[in-house]
Amino acid sequence: MSVSSSDLSSSAAPSDDAQRASDPLLGRRLLIVEDDPYIALALEETLSEFGLIIAGMARSVEEAVRLSSGDGVDLALLDVNIGHERIDPVADALAARGCPFIFTTGCGRAGLPEAHLERSMVEKPFYVEEILAALRSELSRADDR
């Protein structure tokens, strides 16, 4: 399922400096795992506008595992299906490190990895506000653990 950059664009970009400075996402290093290059590019451009630092972009599970293994990632956005592969090994690696992450999927909650059903999920097609809210929610949950 395709998400266009216009679907991700938003007039909700924080314009008030005080509001933006208090955003828990500001300056966080985000790993994006998405096999559709158009969605990945739209996410990279849009989420950067909200103060996230794109720490890495992966289009395969192997690449995502490699990028998620270091300390250079604060949170992650994971597409559940990467080509014909499932995202489970990446989710498992991030969870083992205590790194917050959310899922994107066109398959609903039933498609999530069994071990991570409690994680936040955003269904495709999505809007940037949904992604941002889910990332903030997952960060808050991680802080509470």
Side-chain angles (χ1 to χ4, degrees):
M1 187 171 286
S2 178
V3 176
S4 71
S5 59
S6 63
D7 290 336
L8 291 173
S9 62
S10 169
S11 60
S15 57
D16 178 54
D17 290 338
Q19 178 186 357
R20 186 174 192 139
S22 67
D23 189 338
L25 296 178
L26 188 64
R28 298 287 183 142
R29 299 166 298 176
L30 177 70
L31 170 63
I32 298 172
V33 183
E34 171 61 60
D35 59 341
D36 183 310
Y38 299 108
I39 295 174
L41 181 60
L43 284 167
E44 179 182 27
E45 289 177 4
T46 304
L47 295 174
S48 293
E49 291 174 10
F50 283 87
L52 285 154
I53 298 166
I54 307 306
M57 303 266 297
R59 292 183 60 198
S60 71
V61 169
E62 180 183 348
E63 184 180 13
V65 167
R66 184 181 54 78
L67 289 171
S68 66
S69 65
D71 289 334
V73 174
D74 297 320
L75 69 161
L77 177 65
L78 309 177
D79 185 3
V80 172
N81 295 303
I82 303 299
H84 297 292
E85 296 179 283
R86 300 257 314 148
I87 199 68
D88 301 47
V90 181
D92 293 343
L94 290 166
R97 294 187 35 226
C99 182
F101 58 91
I102 68 168
F103 293 109
T104 63
T105 181
C107 302
R109 190 156 289 281
L112 297 184
E114 190 72 30
H116 304 287
L117 291 174
E118 80 288 352
R119 297 287 177 163
S120 297
M121 177 206 73
V122 179
E123 204 156 349
K124 295 178 181 180
F126 47 71
Y127 292 94
V128 69
E129 292 87 356
E130 295 172 295
I131 296 289
L132 294 168
L135 288 170
R136 288 181 186 114
S137 173
E138 200 59 38
L139 271 177
S140 177
R141 287 179 49 179
D143 289 344
D144 292 343
R145 288 184 198 134

